Amino acid sequence: MKSYQKLTTAQPAGCRVEEEGAAPMPPGRGKLAPWWVGSGLLVAAVLLSTITVWVLRQVSGGWLGPTPPPKCLLVPESHRFDCYPEQRVVVTQELCESRGCCFIQSPPPAEGKRGVPWCFYPPDFPSYTLESLNQTALGMVGLLVRREKAYYPRDIQMLRLDVEFETDTRLHIKITDAANPRYEVPLDVPRVMKRAENPIYSLNFSWDPFGVLLQRKATGTVLLNTTVAPLIFADQFLQISTLLPSKFLYGLGEHRSSFLHSLDWNTLTLWARDVSPTESFNLYGAHPFYLLMEEGGDAHGVFLLNSNAMEVALQPAPGLTWRTIGGVLDFYVFLGPDPNMVIQQYQQVIGFPAMPPLWALGFHLCRWGYGSSNETWQTVRAMRNYQIPQDAQWNDIDYMDGYRDFTLDSKKFASLPSLVEDLHKHGQHYVMILDPGISSTSPKGSYWPFDEGLRRGLFLNTTQGQPLIGQVWPGFTAFADFSNPDTHQWWLENLQHFYAHVPFDGLWIDMNEPSNFMDGSEDGCPPGELDNPPYTPAVLGDSLSAKTVCASAKQKASVHYNLHNLYGLMETKATASALIQIRGKRPFIISRSTFPSQGRYSGHWLGDNRSQWKDMYYSIPGLLSFSLFGIPLVGADICGFSGSTSEELCTRWMQLGAFYPFARNHNTQNEKAQDPTAFSPSARTAMKDVLLTRYSLLPFLYTLFHRAHLQGDTVARPLFFEFPWDVATWELDRQFLWGRSLLVTPVLEPGVDSVTGYFPQGTWYDFYTGSSVNSSGEMLKMSAPLEHLNLHIREGSILPTQKPGTTTEVTRGNPLHLIVALSSHATAWGDLFWDDGESLDTFEQGNYSYVVFNVTQNIFTSTVLHASTEASKVTIGTLSIFGVQKPPSKVLLNGQEKPFSYLDNQVLTVSDLGISLSQGFSVQWL
């Protein structure tokens, strides 16, 4: 049987290895037998399928209908690619065969599942033919021709294929209309100047039917094989399918699910939508990128640069189908081969994340329903009274006058300017919410944001050229068009006016899918193929306008049909630019709706979750997914947003949330308070202790964010990123790492005092005590009383920590404590990035310090690779070394004897070092 699952190194029949620079094969050659066709096995497969279907028909009393043609019986269930994916349609044999497809009924799937498609493509379904292929400076250009029309309107018969071998680990494949320009995502992507010289991939083509076959040279693994179903490219329906080399697939956000996606007939829809996180729904953001682990531990990623409504259908073959209803098919493939490298390569295309201000990594507190600035202030004072760390106080929409942006409730929030002044005096910060819906009902001349936006023509318009009016919190609203550069200036001016009264430090931009309490507008949406396209992906509400604006709405850059998934990103770019101009410091923004490249401008929170144990669990796959998407500053509402939390749940959630990269406790109105001061002394102490642990780790966390900003490293990291050869790590999503070094194992269920976690092979050290655990790669049960979070340091690591204070400002002035976790070879490595914590572009301008720590042969060295004045303001106070096998007789600091302590659990500690971070030094133990 001919198969492209494992191509040999020899050129396969019907394919052409094109990256070697040979002349292209003439058209008409290179016919590819479908992957499932093989001479002897064909007869056997048909016979077996026929017998199986006959037996089923007898058992079912004939409900399965007439016997399908042999070519249809040939296709195994797992490889049936859906020919009739329309929602809410009962697919009949007549409907199916009108498309030229195979119809075989299968037993109904379980509730909520799609199941095996009844209508699927036969092996000989017409597709495109590759008519010509020519070499270019960067790769190839080809012409694709379809001679038989497919079944969606405005089929495009001639397509242009552009292939660029951009780097040795990055391939760019783009398919678009050969004759007419089409909408493309306005995202800045790198332009290469020369072709990759030694790519680690080989690219093959099937000519008729056209197909892409991409192979990893080192292993022969086929990463893409698009010959398994026809390419369809109509004006409003674009579809391409591929086999996958394994079932271990991650990404494709934003959804609530396990981190590892199920390939059991699972369709993931990408269309930004305001809805509380719920399994199977399309949520706030759109991220058409997946990471896939291959047998042996290699990894690759695929990014479809397309912002239209989209769905990705996964099936057990394993296989995947991309369906989108606009734009072009613009694919980037990242070859890794390590999963960390895949994510770095992805971010080389979409952009590396911004460096956050240090205070953004502190603890944030918010709720909807404080009711007044005085009550907000009371919460801040209570936190200070109990000396619980807090860096930022937030307000939700109740600070506004009538929920209108850029206004202040002059009665309930009259003291807000004084509160913000008080926060600043205490080294704390203030963040407020903003929505993109601008109230349209105020008397003319009384509300500048709407009046001026209307005058300048800055709102989304209907097809008739009038502002589209929807409904959000203030009532009827117009929606700012952030695709218009003039809107950015208006947004800046509004923020400047408000900042003059309330000097905020960061912004929380919500409702920016954009959310609308109506479907479309106050007048609905007009008839036409933008609001009612020939095919609508499986969106919540079955309509593109469900709880958002009309797809036909006009924007400066294009129609909303094309720009919807970009709305939040465009608002974020305007907001980041405004904050930089207003404050002159690094902007801090948390956005609900996101799209690739979002991390360059903002972080994200995982939306309006619930105070339930399962929501706490689902936050971990959420964190890890956004790590893949290049948005490391991410977290969920600690203790849950809606519903009423319990003391146990909130304690456990505060322990987990203290290790979200972005840590905020947030609560809805009309529920009891859930900030740490609202609980019993024992719970309050447990919450305080874990926050102090977080603050002690800020130098380590800040350095991880520097590495994310510099080269696209992840901050919250799945275990398999560090142990890709260990298949047991591939499904883990109840634990995670900070960087490569710190393992977090939270309790995620009620009523327990222990937790089981996986420890990859090696030595792991208890963060608090330094006691070691040697694992062969196994699940271990650990004590976990309510006041305790299990944290372990990986052997070979050095963590820079600091004596914690109640704010990042206080903490950063305290002495450093370096924790060394020796490997089995008695070596270790770590680093520290240090700057002023808030200035723009400190690394780019050289205003930073970078220190590398190393241990070998019983000598610890601190080497300053780059220095700034900031490093001279902090000292290294203590050095702890975990895993020192025998008691030293003496310890030398820069050659001078120094007092030390040594414990039975093999922890060596040297205190009172008093060395400036800007000075290199060594410690030796003998």
Side-chain angles (χ1 to χ4, degrees), residues 816-837:
L816 290 164
H817 175 193
L818 305 179
I819 301 176
V820 177
L822 292 178
S823 72
S824 56
H825 303 293
T827 60
W829 185 92
D831 62 345
L832 173 63
F833 176 82
W834 193 269
D835 62 9
D836 69 7

Side-chain angles (χ1 to χ4, degrees), residues 84 89-98 102-103 105 118-119:
Y84 217 109
V89 175
V90 177
V91 182
T92 63
Q93 183 166 354
E94 184 180 9
L95 283 173
C96 179
E97 292 178 353
S98 70
C102 296
F103 184 81
Q105 284 178 269
W118 292 5
C119 183

Side-chain angles (χ1 to χ4, degrees), residues 275 619 688 699 733:
V275 62
S619 71
K688 174 181 175 179
D733 61 6

Side-chain angles (χ1 to χ4, degrees), residues 172-289:
H172 188 187
I173 301 174
K174 184 174 175 181
I175 301 172
T176 188
D177 189 333
N180 300 296
R182 292 179 61 79
Y183 164 77
E184 297 186 28
V185 182
L187 187 70
D188 292 331
V189 292
R191 299 293 177 201
V192 297
M193 304 309 292
K194 66 173 188 174
R195 180 183 180 132
E197 294 179 359
N198 298 295
I200 67 171
Y201 49 86
S202 59
L203 181 63
N204 308 283
F205 289 108
S206 159
W207 289 68
D208 185 10
F210 166 72
V212 175
L213 297 109
L214 180 67
Q215 189 176 4
R216 185 182 296 281
K217 283 183 178 178
T219 60
T221 303
V222 177
L223 310 183
L224 297 177
N225 174 359
T226 70
T227 66
V228 290
L231 167 65
I232 296 179
F233 201 121
D235 184 37
Q236 290 181 273
F237 185 89
L238 292 71
Q239 177 177 278
I240 190 167
S241 302
T242 183
L243 290 180
L244 301 169
S246 88
K247 66 177 183 178
F248 293 95
L249 182 142
Y250 315 82
L252 298 174
E254 182 176 4
H255 297 94
R256 165 175 283 204
S257 71
S258 57
F259 184 43
L260 175 66
H261 284 301
S262 166
L263 270 58
D264 185 17
W265 306 107
N266 180 20
T267 296
L268 302 170
T269 307
L270 282 64
W271 183 248
R273 167 66 193 247
D274 172 8
V275 62
S276 294
T278 305
E279 298 87 321
S280 81
F281 287 0
N282 50 295
L283 301 181
Y284 311 106
H287 293 273
F289 167 82

Side-chain angles (χ1 to χ4, degrees), residues 446-457:
S446 67
Y447 184 48
W448 192 86
F450 178 74
D451 293 340
E452 191 63 15
L454 187 65
R455 188 183 73 80
R456 300 187 199 179

Side-chain angles (χ1 to χ4, degrees), residues 658-729:
F659 286 84
Y660 293 159
F662 164 59
R664 180 186 72 161
N665 180 317
H666 180 44
N667 191 6
T668 190
Q669 61 180 354
N670 303 321
E671 293 289 352
K672 62 185 181 184
Q674 62 184 38
D675 64 85
T677 70
F679 294 98
S680 70
S682 60
R684 186 171 65 235
T685 301
M687 294 177 187
K688 174 181 175 179
D689 287 348
V690 78
L691 287 175
L692 288 170
T693 300
R694 177 191 178 89
Y695 274 61
S696 75
L697 283 158
L698 283 172
F700 175 57
L701 180 61
Y702 193 64
T703 301
L704 291 178
F705 269 96
H706 166 67
R707 300 178 73 85
H709 172 63
L710 184 63
Q711 62 192 35
D713 283 7
T714 52
V715 175
R717 187 171 302 177
L719 273 73
F720 74 79
F721 271 46
E722 292 299 315
F723 305 92
W725 59 87
D726 184 351
V727 179
T729 63

Side-chain angles (χ1 to χ4, degrees), residues 166 170 172 185-192 303 305 330 332 348-350 600:
E166 294 197 338
R170 185 172 86 224
H172 188 187
V185 182
L187 187 70
D188 292 331
V189 292
R191 299 293 177 201
V192 297
F303 171 42
L305 179 50
D330 192 0
Y332 288 86
Q348 286 167 5
V349 170
I350 63 170
R600 294 173 59 188

